Amino acid sequence: GAVVSQHPSRVICKSGTSVKIECRSLDFQATTMFWYRQFPKKSLMLMATSNEGSKATYEQGVEKDKFLINHASLTLSTLTVTSAHPEDSSFYICSARASGQGHNSPLHFGNGTRLTVT
Amino acid sequence: KQEVTQIPAALSVPEGENLVLNCSFTDSAIYNLQWFRQDPGKGLTSLLLIQSSQREQTSGRLNASLDKSSGRSTLYIAASQPGDSATYLCAVNYGGSQGNLIFGKGTKLSVKP
């Protein structure tokens, strides 16, 4: 149980285009999902916290107009990288916590999306 | 600032050896600590989660310990195998931002046959 599906696993796009990444909790409902970014040889860094039915909370230094997050249902959150630039090339990974679980319950991670902007 | 540090950054051992990966964190007020495995270009596989009230957790050949007072955790891997080769990440849940995790940079383990 507790499977998180992330799609696509890889995407290559041209500068200036937008890319949407989907994160789905397959067998549980998730009020809260988290979006992380990982640059080569670096830690995973939290970008934003996504809450179903409300606006996402962005970490300092993350542009909310560039990284659009929509959490329209209890099983789906999307991250759209708008007007992508080569420096946005990274590994993006989402995670989810089952609704009703406390902060000390485990996070379940998707398999990540490798974004390459040419 | 809440930080998580993992030492060493890389480790190479011959097959069959027992090994220990280290994780330290700056703030002892944690909810829990989680160890993950990440294969190249892949997502995260959760290995063990230790709640703040626990001192260790075991799963098969893996044993994770937690010492909150000293801000340390270790991941012990017994009888290592080439299939254990991966990057191991330590992540701490401080309860902030609705319980997100703060990650270390990982230890890249290579087990040579």
Side-chain angles (χ1 to χ4, degrees), chain A residues 36 38 49 51 97 103-104, chain B residues 32 51 93 97-99 101:
Chain A
Y36 290 84
Q38 185 181 35
T49 303
N51 290 294
R97 174 174 287 118
H103 287 186
N104 60 351
Chain B
N32 56 48
Q51 299 291 353
N93 179 352
S97 190
Q98 302 180 59
L101 296 177

Side-chain angles (χ1 to χ4, degrees), chain B residues 44-102:
Chain B
L44 304 183
T45 301
S46 180
L47 299 173
L48 290 164
L49 181 149
I50 311 178
Q51 299 291 353
S52 63
S53 59
Q54 299 173 323
R55 292 193 64 84
E56 66 177 335
Q57 283 285 326
T58 298
S59 176
R61 294 183 293 110
L62 306 180
N63 176 280
S65 70
L66 175 64
D67 184 343
K68 274 200 322 177
S69 60
S70 66
R72 295 180 187 276
S73 175
T74 61
L75 179 67
Y76 174 83
I77 302 177
S80 58
Q81 303 170 359
D84 294 331
S85 299
T87 296
Y88 290 81
L89 298 169
C90 169
V92 176
N93 179 352
Y94 285 106
S97 190
Q98 302 180 59
N100 67 291
L101 296 177
I102 297 177

Side-chain angles (χ1 to χ4, degrees), chain A residues 50-103:
Chain A
S50 164
N51 290 294
E52 185 267 335
S54 63
K55 290 183 178 181
T57 303
Y58 290 81
E59 296 299 299
Q60 190 173 10
V62 178
E63 300 175 58
K64 62 179 181 180
D65 294 329
K66 180 171 184 60
F67 299 99
L68 301 179
I69 291 173
N70 186 306
H71 193 155
S73 79
L74 287 171
T75 59
L76 174 64
S77 176
T78 61
L79 168 67
T80 301
V81 183
T82 62
S83 187
H85 288 177
E87 55 263 33
D88 297 325
S89 298
S90 187
F91 187 68
Y92 294 85
I93 189 166
C94 70
S95 67
R97 174 174 287 118
S99 296
Q101 300 292 313
H103 287 186

